[in-house]
Amino acid sequence: TYGDAYISGAWKSVLVASLRGGGQAVYALDITNPAGFSAANVLWEFTDADDSDLGYYYGNPQIKKMQNGKWAAIFTSGYNNTEADAYPSATGAAYVYVVYIEDGSFVKIPVPGADGLAEPAVADVDGDAKADFIYVGDLNGKMWKIDVTSSFSGSWAVAFSGAPLFTATTSGGIPQSITTRPAIKRHPMGISNGVLVLFGTGRYLELADDTATGVPTQSVYSIWDRDGYYD
């Protein structure tokens, strides 16, 4: 992902990317002047050595301004963070990471009950160009909503008292994995009526997923979320 961020007293063009299945790491580069790029333009590298709960993150980090005025890269702990490498997660717990572009410091938002978080979508609902809510799905078909409307990062947490916004299952109750970023659209009747969270289900991550038989029926959903808007 690349975009603009105001850091170190100036506007910069920033690129943030993960290694997907190649490693447990996310990095940020200052690409304001590509012709003059050097090692000095590496802003930071965030790996499981910095936080052992980081796994293999698939998808694009999101570059957004937070309510505390800081620009950040937003991504999740991804998959297989308990892998027996040099820095395995002790719990296998899932998190949303908010890593500040300027210095690489970070905030971890726990998502209790989640398993394998995918790429998040970030919603700015009041038009102030700052993140308000983060939506992210997991391997168990749960769509989570994270409330980041406070200017105090210690208050950022899962909405609905820790329950998911929605759980996708087949008619027989089999979880439908969510492995891609949802699309967030304003309700047709205006933002006072909330947003529509649109996503499809399915997974193609492991060898066992490479089969045409015995897999759950998959679906496309549109979930109407009014909570925390301007009813």
Side-chain angles (χ1 to χ4, degrees):
T1 302
Y2 65 91
D4 294 330
Y6 193 80
I7 58 174
S8 303
W11 283 101
K12 302 285 186 180
S13 294
V14 176
L15 182 148
V16 185
S18 76
L19 302 184
R20 292 174 61 89
Q24 299 176 2
V26 176
Y27 59 90
L29 308 176
D30 178 354
I31 59 170
T32 307
N33 179 20
F37 187 86
S38 70
N41 296 109
V42 177
L43 296 172
W44 43 260
E45 182 181 39
F46 182 76
T47 75
D48 59 341
D50 299 296
D51 190 275
S52 62
D53 289 314
L54 178 66
Y56 295 93
Y57 175 68
Y58 286 70
N60 297 322
Q62 303 297 302
I63 300 174
K64 299 293 181 181
K65 187 178 184 181
M66 307 304 293
Q67 292 292 335
N68 57 15
K70 297 181 179 181
W71 287 83
I74 302 171
F75 51 93
T76 72
S77 51
Y79 309 112
N80 297 339
N81 60 4
T82 57
E83 184 178 63
D85 56 10
Y87 306 101
S89 171
T91 63
Y95 293 88
V96 170
Y97 288 100
V98 178
V99 180
Y100 296 123
I101 300 288
E102 187 162 10
D103 59 9
S105 61
F106 65 95
V107 176
K108 289 173 65 176
I109 306 173
V111 187
D115 179 20
L117 291 173
E119 178 182 345
V122 184
D124 166 24
V125 301
D126 55 7
D128 65 354
K130 297 179 183 178
D132 292 309
F133 300 109
I134 300 169
Y135 295 88
V136 60
D138 74 7
L139 293 177
N140 287 330
K142 295 177 180 178
M143 179 58 64
W144 302 90
K145 179 183 179 182
I146 316 297
D147 187 338
V148 292
T149 55
S150 174
S151 60
F152 174 56
S153 62
S155 296
W156 299 344
V158 176
F160 306 113
S161 301
L165 167 68
F166 179 78
T167 301
T169 67
T170 66
S171 57
I174 300 173
Q176 299 170 302
S177 296
I178 305 168
T179 55
T180 58
R181 176 171 57 91
I184 311 300
K185 302 296 181 183
R186 291 192 175 200
H187 192 275
M189 297 300 291
I191 193 60
S192 62
N193 287 284
V195 299
L196 303 178
V197 183
L198 303 101
F199 60 93
T201 66
R203 54 181 285 170
Y204 189 61
L205 295 170
E206 301 175 343
L207 291 176
D209 297 331
D210 187 16
T211 179
T213 59
V215 296
T217 298
Q218 305 300 336
S219 306
V220 176
Y221 292 94
S222 176
I223 307 303
W224 183 10
D225 178 22
R226 294 186 62 181
D227 184 71
Y229 293 86
Y230 309 115
D231 338 70

